[in-house]
């Protein structure tokens, strides 16, 4: 809605040399055909347990995704949030994506230490780590590009086929 997810997707695509695709423009078969997936979504600040992105992901992960066999496929997740305005559910949608992809057999890679972030609560944190790369273009846009570079190196080391 604000374009922040697209901005960070742009940093990622520039780093790895691929083109970003909106999930609303692909089918389940398209997704299943990729060797690995880097997926990103914002968090819609509802505090709900489902449909937290407010994007086409909400339909895809409870629709097309549920019929896919993604056993062993590497999936890395990045999320956008506002750590000041919505500090109590910062980047929650990453957790929802991770859980839905795991149900289809995917191997989630790219967890990030949550210690470098200021927020109150996030469903996407377990054991002191975000399930993926959290970015805050509203309050910390100056950190996103460096976070992306480090994260890309990390997920390559975790077997992401880039």
């Amino acid at each position: 809605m604000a374009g922040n997810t697209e901005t960070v997707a742009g940093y990622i695509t520039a780093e790895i040399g691929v083109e970003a695709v909106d999930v609303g423009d692909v089918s389940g078969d398209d997704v299943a055909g990729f060797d690995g997936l880097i997926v990103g979504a914002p968090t819609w600040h509802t505090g709900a347990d489902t449909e937290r992105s407010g994007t086409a992901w909400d339909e895809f992960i409870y629709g097309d995704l549920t019929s896919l066999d993604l056993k062993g496929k590497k999936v890395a997740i990045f999320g956008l949030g506002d750590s000041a305005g919505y500090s109590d559910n910062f980047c929650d949608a990453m957790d929802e994506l991770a859980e839905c992809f795991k149900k289809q057999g995917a191997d989630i890679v790219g967890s990030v230490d949550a210690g470098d972030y200021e927020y109150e609560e996030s469903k996407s944190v377990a054991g002191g780590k975000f399930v993926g790369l959290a970015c805050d273009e509203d309050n910390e846009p100056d950190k996103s590009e460096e976070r992306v570079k480090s994260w890309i190196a990390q997920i390559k080391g975790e077997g992401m086929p880039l």
Side-chain angles (χ1 to χ4, degrees):
M1 292 176 214
N4 293 339
T5 306
E6 288 177 81
T7 297
V8 174
Y11 299 148
I12 293 168
T13 60
E15 189 68 23
I16 61 175
V18 298
E19 184 178 325
V21 179
D22 189 299
V23 70
D25 296 335
V26 297
S27 70
D29 289 339
D30 293 332
V31 169
F34 293 119
D35 294 330
L37 298 163
I38 297 175
V39 299
T43 294
W44 185 251
H45 46 81
T46 64
D49 288 330
T50 64
E51 300 177 30
R52 292 179 277 191
S53 80
T55 69
W57 275 116
D58 296 339
E59 294 172 23
F60 185 84
I61 60 178
Y62 297 108
D64 286 354
L65 181 64
T66 61
S67 65
L68 301 180
D69 177 5
L70 301 177
K71 186 173 182 169
K73 189 175 296 283
K74 302 285 186 193
V75 175
I77 300 166
F78 69 98
L80 278 287
D82 179 345
S83 63
Y86 303 102
S87 187
D88 59 343
N89 54 21
F90 181 60
C91 294
D92 278 357
M94 286 195 304
D95 168 66
E96 185 175 8
L97 289 174
E99 290 306 313
C100 290
F101 275 95
K102 280 183 206 174
K103 284 180 186 174
Q104 301 314 121
D107 180 19
I108 307 300
V109 298
S111 64
V112 172
D113 188 333
D116 187 36
Y117 298 84
E118 291 185 32
Y119 63 96
E120 288 179 34
E121 189 176 332
S122 177
K123 293 177 182 176
S124 295
V125 174
K129 290 190 171 203
F130 282 103
V131 70
L133 175 65
C135 290
D136 184 347
E137 286 293 290
D138 294 314
N139 302 291
E140 298 181 337
D142 55 318
K143 293 184 177 183
S144 295
E145 284 186 82
E146 190 56 42
R147 285 176 171 161
V148 164
K149 287 180 184 191
S150 295
W151 186 64
I152 294 297
Q154 175 187 337
I155 63 174
K156 282 181 181 178
E158 294 178 22
M160 177 60 74
L162 298 175

